[in-house]
Amino acid sequence: EVDRSIVTSSAQSSPAAPAASDQDSDQTTIGNAVSSADIKELGGQTVPWANAGTGSRGAITEMVELKDGGLTCRRFSATRESFDGVALYKGEL
C-alpha cells in the first residue's frame, strides 16, 4: 500500500498574474519608445524595446502619426514578452 501521508514538495498549479507595477513600468517604457521615435527616419521598421527593471522586452510596429483637432497622436502595435507570457497590444499616445 502507498503511504500518502508524506508530502515532499508542492507547486502552485497556475501561474501567478503579473504584478500591476511591472505592467505599468512596461507601458511607460513602451510609451517612451513610441514618443521618442523618429517615424520618418524609421521608414516602417520595427522598434525594439526592453525594460531591465522587469525583464520584459518586445517590439513596436505599425507606428503612424495622426493629427486630430490640432493634436498630434501616434497609433502603434507592441508585443510584450515577459515571464508571464507573450502579449500583443494596440495603443495610441
Side-chain angles (χ1 to χ4, degrees), residues 5-71:
S5 65
I6 300 173
V7 177
T8 57
S9 68
S10 64
Q12 187 176 1
S13 61
S14 63
S21 62
D22 284 358
Q23 287 183 343
D24 291 345
S25 179
D26 290 344
Q27 287 177 356
T28 299
T29 302
I30 292 168
N32 290 340
V34 169
S35 63
S36 65
D38 185 342
I39 293 177
K40 291 178 185 176
E41 192 173 304
L42 287 171
Q45 291 180 347
T46 298
V47 176
W49 69 272
N51 185 340
T54 64
S56 300
R57 65 183 179 148
I60 301 164
T61 59
E62 303 173 14
M63 200 178 339
V64 294
E65 200 164 81
L66 309 165
K67 302 257 186 210
D68 184 18
L71 298 174

Side-chain angles (χ1 to χ4, degrees), residues 56-87:
S56 300
R57 65 183 179 148
I60 301 164
T61 59
E62 303 173 14
M63 200 178 339
V64 294
E65 200 164 81
L66 309 165
K67 302 257 186 210
D68 184 18
L71 298 174
T72 301
C73 300
R74 290 186 174 188
R75 187 174 298 148
F76 62 94
S77 296
T79 59
R80 177 179 180 259
E81 301 170 27
S82 64
F83 295 112
D84 60 326
V86 177

Side-chain angles (χ1 to χ4, degrees), residues 1 4 15 29 86-88 91:
E1 187 174 322
R4 299 195 189 278
T29 302
V86 177
L88 175 65

